[in-house]
Amino acid sequence: MKIAGYEKLSLQDFPNNMSCIVFTQGCNMKCPFCQNSTLIPTEPEGTIPEEEIFDYLRQRQKILDGVTISGGEPTVQKDLKEFIIKVRQLGLKVKLDTNGTNYNLLKELIDEKLLDYVAMDIKNSIGKYGVTSGVPNISMDNILKSIDLLKQNKVDYEFRTTIINEHHELKDIYEIIKLIGDSKYYLQNFNLSDDVIDRSLTGFTEEKLNLWNEIITNYPSVYIRGREKR
Ligand code: SF4
């Protein structure tokens, strides 16, 4: 697997678990708000040998609960499944972060009970998906199938959307909620960082976040990351 980096210990990323986060190289989207844009190109080889990851995991096997596989888009890796199997053989759980474009692989991993948690990004309402994913003629087929698959509750999961002033209105979020039903859904505020492709983008002000937080109280399964529900 092409691995571009790893964070040795995260207490937050994998709900209720201490995890090591592995970042894969390569993505099939080009989201203008991507915080890891150096991980988008698929050509570069990974800079971290897989063996280094497994050496670390073996050392920390008793402390860690699991591994989060993030990116980039992990499902573009040809040997993702083999990597996951090796992680599980160490007795560690696996969380997968995905944009949902590789429905077949996601289904295979879920059917074979190789995943403990899936966090799937929903970039925007369907009509705006091309702009917000940076893939103007994006096909929604696999993404919609992945949403339906997760809704079957065969694995713990969450949907999440990074909210950006220039891309998201409340009506987009309502459209997404219609699509995902009462699935757990996190809105996370956009933060500008050096890696972001479109540096004209802005996150929500505290006031706007407060307002949205108030509005979404009607939806018990929708949260703004880092905020208590009122
Ligand atoms: S899907 Fe994720 S990794 Fe890929 S470009 Fe979008 S935010 Fe970045």
Side-chain angles (χ1 to χ4, degrees), residues 42-199:
T42 48
E43 305 78 34
E45 290 303 319
T47 48
I48 311 275
E50 238 184 68
E51 218 21 63
E52 182 177 328
I53 304 288
F54 284 106
D55 282 347
Y56 171 72
L57 294 178
R58 274 188 287 269
Q59 282 167 29
R60 292 286 181 273
Q61 211 171 343
K62 294 213 168 71
I63 297 167
L64 290 168
D65 300 307
V67 174
T68 293
I69 308 176
S70 191
E73 170 52 38
T75 65
V76 303
Q77 304 293 324
K78 290 192 183 66
D79 46 358
L80 175 65
K81 183 174 167 182
E82 287 67 32
F83 183 87
I84 290 174
I85 289 172
K86 281 197 252 170
V87 170
R88 297 188 74 85
Q89 281 168 348
L90 294 175
L92 295 167
K93 299 180 198 171
V94 176
K95 169 181 179 245
L96 178 70
D97 290 348
T98 182
N99 60 23
T101 47
N102 194 339
Y103 164 77
N104 287 336
L105 180 57
L106 184 61
K107 183 168 185 324
E108 186 178 329
L109 296 173
I110 291 174
D111 285 349
E112 295 185 25
K113 302 197 182 325
L114 293 173
L115 301 176
D116 297 282
Y117 198 90
V118 178
M120 178 178 158
D121 290 342
I122 299 188
K123 303 297 178 185
N124 210 334
S125 55
I126 293 177
K128 292 182 173 177
Y129 227 93
V131 177
T132 308
S133 66
V135 184
N137 53 357
I138 193 161
S139 159
M140 290 301 296
D141 292 358
N142 274 344
I143 294 167
L144 294 174
K145 278 160 71 179
S146 293
I147 291 173
D148 281 343
L149 172 67
L150 291 176
K151 282 168 70 181
Q152 291 169 22
N153 266 317
K154 291 181 181 162
V155 63
D156 269 354
Y157 70 98
E158 69 182 48
F159 294 114
R160 58 193 190 180
T161 297
T162 300
I163 45 174
I164 308 159
N165 273 312
E166 291 75 12
H167 285 249
H168 298 98
E169 299 167 73
L170 255 182
K171 62 178 185 205
D172 300 311
I173 304 305
Y174 288 143
E175 197 182 304
I176 293 169
I177 292 171
K178 230 185 229 172
L179 207 58
I180 63 173
D182 59 1
S183 304
K184 201 166 22 157
Y185 180 39
Y186 288 97
L187 305 176
Q188 46 202 31
N189 198 12
F190 167 75
N191 281 313
L192 188 60
S193 71
D194 288 347
D195 263 357
V196 168
I197 297 173
D198 181 350
R199 300 190 49 78

Side-chain angles (χ1 to χ4, degrees), residues 26-37 39-40 71-73 99 121 123 132-133 197:
C27 185
N28 51 0
M29 289 187 179
K30 202 177 175 192
C31 308
F33 62 89
C34 182
Q35 301 281 353
N36 294 329
S37 61
L39 303 186
I40 295 175
E73 170 52 38
N99 60 23
D121 290 342
K123 303 297 178 185
T132 308
S133 66
I197 297 173

